[in-house]
Amino acid sequence: MSRLLWLLLALLVALIVPVWLGGGETLTRLAQFPRQLLLAMFAMIVLCWVINSLRLRLLLGDHSGRLTRLKCLGVVMSTEFAQCATPGGSGGPLTLMALLARHGIRPAQGSAVFAMDQLSDLLFFLCALVGIALYALFHSLNPRLEWLLELSAVSMVSGLVCCVLLVRFHRQVIRLNGALLKGLRVGTRLRRRWARRLLHFLAAFSDTLKLPWLTLIRVFLLTSLHWLLRYSVLYLALRGLGADLAWAWSFLIQMLSLTAGQFSLLPGGAGAAELTSAALLAPMVGKSTAAAAILIWRAVTYYFYLLCGGPVFLLMVGKPLFKRLFQKAQVAPQGCATAPTTGQPPESQCHPRHPTHPGHSDSDSLRPR
């Protein structure tokens, strides 16, 4: 219930910020917005879901046959709903790995697919920043946007370098991580378990990188198409409101606003994304136009994700979970009721202990996938 209240608070903050910025003129500008253009923007988001489902099937490689096209689309919608409904998008990778594990795909493979997906996004944004920088050489650029562009470029390059260093020096990272955990007095079994998980992830990530070059190129092209569609929403909203702003600047504003939203504690970056975009847009197009454009932009790229992804998330994640809990609650009392009465404690009758082996621990052993 607390998470639901947290999400409702985020939605409230996301609505208050643009309305407070634009005042009474915001509703007037929204009423004048073309309805056909709004429907086209919603259709673009649906197309983005389809593109991401195709990208997921390509990244799964030989495991793609375990998911139908419809289930793959449901996984994408559920994952993006979890990203929008949790602070910093932390629920996205957990949802993706949980749904893939239900179809027989190991968590290490699921995390490698997510990491490859993020790496593809990072490469696209790096290329986009290079293109915007070249565009800025031949056009006048606001000093504030110039500083933000340089900061974004540095952060993108730093993230890419960190990924390369992690793959290249993973053994040293494991040793350093083990030394830090040992200094924090973490047990040997737990340290080995985390090292084993990291090795499994790196092995799965290496297998993903070994996909055919044609497949990786297709993944990058789908990634580019997805972000070009999604980051054109604000530009179309401004055009529908009569504002004249270059697509490159609308792209940069969205990227910076959503990046700032990742550092906020509210789900989906609500509040921080609106404040950042308003601070960058208002001096260019006016307060009322900026407020109306932000409301349309967030309605298409945030509220629409919650409204359409929520039922799919409950169907794919919530229903199986409740079904499993219900079966356990039904079976457990029967097992305890039919258990023979002996001198053992009730706990040992309902849950018999397995014979232990010297020097062996079930929690530390590798489970078959």
Side-chain angles (χ1 to χ4, degrees), residues 168-179:
R168 177 64 179 83
F169 301 100
H170 63 275
R171 296 182 182 275
Q172 290 82 352
V173 171
I174 292 176
R175 293 193 184 99
L176 179 61
N177 187 38

Side-chain angles (χ1 to χ4, degrees), residues 102 312-325:
R102 290 179 178 178
V312 179
F313 178 86
L314 292 177
L315 182 63
M316 299 195 67
V317 179
K319 185 177 179 180
L321 180 60
F322 284 122
K323 185 177 179 180
R324 187 186 307 173
L325 293 176

Side-chain angles (χ1 to χ4, degrees), residues 12 20 67 78-79 85 94-96 99 121 140 150 153 163 175 180 230 267 269 275 278 309 319-320 322 350 364 367:
L12 183 61
W20 171 75
L67 277 81
S78 301
T79 302
L94 298 178
T95 301
L96 177 64
L99 291 177
D121 292 343
S140 60
E150 295 175 354
C163 292
R175 293 193 184 99
L180 292 176
R230 184 169 175 179
L275 284 173
K319 185 177 179 180
F322 284 122
C350 298
D364 195 41
R367 294 177 173 84

Side-chain angles (χ1 to χ4, degrees), residues 43-59 69 72-73 76-77 80 117 120-121 218-230 305:
M44 290 167 55
I45 298 301
V46 175
L47 182 58
C48 288
W49 286 332
V50 176
I51 291 172
N52 283 338
S53 66
L54 295 176
R55 182 170 59 165
L56 178 59
R57 289 181 63 86
L58 289 176
L59 289 176
R69 296 182 184 274
C72 196
L73 180 61
V76 169
M77 294 179 66
E80 295 190 355
D117 180 84
S120 181
D121 292 343
R218 288 175 179 175
V219 170
F220 182 74
L221 291 177
L222 290 173
T223 301
S224 302
L225 182 58
H226 161 253
W227 287 113
L228 287 175
L229 285 173
R230 184 169 175 179
Y305 278 76

Side-chain angles (χ1 to χ4, degrees), residues 59-60 63 105-116 196-211:
L59 289 176
L60 288 175
H63 302 285
I105 299 174
R106 297 181 298 117
Q109 182 67 32
S111 59
V113 168
F114 181 80
M116 191 64 187
R196 189 180 296 111
R197 289 179 178 177
L198 181 58
L199 287 175
H200 287 168
F201 163 74
L202 291 174
F205 187 70
S206 300
D207 293 339
T208 306
L209 288 176
K210 293 177 183 178
L211 289 171

